[in-house]
Amino acid sequence: MPELTYLGHDAFLVKADKARLAIDPFLTGNPVAAAAAEDLNVDYVLITHGHGDHLGDGIEIAKRCGATIISTFEMAGYCQSRGAKAHPMHIGGGHDFDFGRVKLTIAHHGNTVETPDGPRALGPAAGIIVKADGRTLYHAGDTGLFYDMKLIGEMNPLDVALLPIGDNFTMGPDDAVKAAELLQAKLTIPMHYNTFDLIRQDPGDYVRRVRALGLGAEVLKVGATLTY
Ligand code: NI
Ligand code: MN
């Protein structure tokens, strides 16, 4: 069974039987990071989009570890141009890797990377479904609420859904409660909150509201690990 460790903000580590995956490893400059980028030892780096709080240390980690970045075609191409190995995919597409299956989903959000000439657009942002060791995890990335979350849950019965609750840039708590209802995951874990003042929220209140619907929800403390 895979182990999920919360590294803070949207950064997670998944230890599956056959591989270690980092998702959105924003650690350097992350005021709540549970690990330093140089301490991560992974085989794959999964990136939802290029904003600094998601791509984060992804390219550096991939290069140091010899890990493969998995992201959209545009993001993968950008990471390759910076010297990292990458596997390009796109929304709606799935691929079987040695550790399991990854599928990209829609996410209603922008996608830019910072360059010396200013922000550069790199196609749409994505969400990520990871199937490994017989378990299914959904990392929603940065997104607004969308009704197709119902379809994601129907087509990919979810053991864990990682959902942003910070508001301002993504769903806030009200929309994230509705997202949990649409997805029907066995367990929902809030993310993308309390890293900065602008996204301050009460994750305990969110969890209570999701549980009141008869659904599983839990606050995963930064640095904590669970098996799912
Ligand atoms: Ni973003
Ligand atoms: Mn973000």
Side-chain angles (χ1 to χ4, degrees), residues 28 48 80 86 90 92 96 154 182 199 217-219 226:
T28 303
T48 61
Q80 284 165 336
H90 230 305
D96 292 320
E154 279 178 10
L182 292 172
I199 54 172
E218 194 174 312
V219 176
L226 62 76

Side-chain angles (χ1 to χ4, degrees), residues 4 12 160-164 187-191 206 217-220 226:
L4 178 73
F12 290 85
V160 182
L162 309 172
L163 300 179
L187 179 65
T188 294
I189 295 170
M191 63 178 181
Y206 171 74
E218 194 174 312
V219 176
L220 191 57
L226 62 76

Side-chain angles (χ1 to χ4, degrees), residues 9-10 49 51 53-54 109 142 169-170 192:
H9 198 58
D10 271 25
H49 65 295
H51 292 161
D53 60 321
H54 296 263
H109 194 66
D142 278 356
F169 297 112
T170 68
H192 213 270

Side-chain angles (χ1 to χ4, degrees), residues 198-209:
L198 194 53
I199 54 172
R200 202 148 291 284
Q201 299 294 342
D202 178 353
D205 182 63
Y206 171 74
V207 161
R208 280 188 290 277
R209 291 172 62 189

